[in-house]
């Protein structure tokens, strides 16, 4: 958890800097949003030896764009499933079902992180019990 004025890229560098390679020796690949494009990808690969794949829409994320006069606009679906993005959105949906996580009630980021851990433990325990 970082302050609101910290960019996603800076937060990701801080997170990867704290990564313990003894606990996650097989981590070599990850998925990132389009906000992580550019020199950040090369920095992560060179410094942390992790390749990041940027997940984006097939139309580039732009449904409305400038076209020269007389040009036909491309046909873009109103809804398109973006690979791997649904995993994150689904997880946020699961966490949003917990009352304590529905709003930002916590004062300390460490407390919010602990509540997220508790919620995920409860979700996974229920899934294991239903098998």
């Amino acid at each position: 958890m970082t302050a609101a004025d910290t960019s996603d890229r800076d937060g990701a560098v801080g997170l990867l800097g704290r990564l313990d390679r003894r606990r996650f020796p097989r981590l070599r690949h990850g998925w990132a949003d389009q906000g992580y494009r550019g020199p950040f990808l090369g920095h992560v690969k060179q410094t942390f030896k992790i390749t990041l794949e940027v997940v984006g829409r097939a139309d580039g994320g732009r449904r409305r764009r400038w076209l020269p006069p007389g040009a036909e606009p491309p046909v873009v679906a109103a809804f398109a499933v973006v690979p791997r993005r649904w995993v994150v959105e689904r997880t946020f949906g699961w966490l949003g079902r917990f009352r304590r996580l529905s709003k930002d009630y916590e004062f300390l980021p460490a407390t919010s992180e602990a509540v997220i851990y508790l919620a995920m433990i409860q979700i996974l325990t229920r899934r294991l019990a239903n098998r």
Side-chain angles (χ1 to χ4, degrees):
M1 303 250 178
T2 59
D5 64 346
T6 304
S7 72
D8 289 345
R9 290 181 189 180
D10 293 340
V13 169
L15 175 71
L16 291 172
R18 293 188 331 223
L19 182 67
D20 185 8
R21 281 296 191 179
R22 293 171 294 180
R23 290 183 63 196
F24 304 103
R26 298 183 336 174
L27 180 62
R28 297 282 177 250
H29 186 77
W31 293 276
D33 200 354
Q34 290 185 2
Y36 296 96
R37 290 176 291 179
F40 174 77
L41 296 174
H43 172 71
V44 169
K45 185 168 185 161
Q46 180 182 9
T47 307
F48 304 108
K49 308 293 189 262
I50 298 172
T51 59
L52 291 178
E53 179 183 343
V54 176
V55 178
R57 289 179 51 124
D59 64 351
R62 290 192 221 165
R63 296 193 62 215
R64 296 185 179 121
R65 63 183 88 166
W66 179 86
L67 293 171
E72 275 299 311
V75 177
V76 178
F79 175 78
V81 176
V82 180
R84 287 290 169 196
R85 181 157 188 151
W86 65 270
V87 175
V88 175
E89 300 298 334
R90 176 193 64 191
T91 306
F92 286 153
W94 291 340
L95 292 174
R97 292 183 186 151
F98 289 84
R99 179 177 286 184
R100 190 131 178 210
L101 293 173
S102 65
K103 291 197 168 66
D104 193 14
Y105 293 115
E106 312 304 331
F107 182 72
L108 298 174
T111 309
S112 294
E113 184 178 1
V115 174
I116 291 170
Y117 280 129
L118 288 172
M120 289 307 296
I121 288 169
Q122 184 176 358
I123 289 168
L124 294 175
T125 304
R126 283 183 182 169
R127 292 204 173 171
L128 287 173
N130 289 334
R131 282 190 161 201

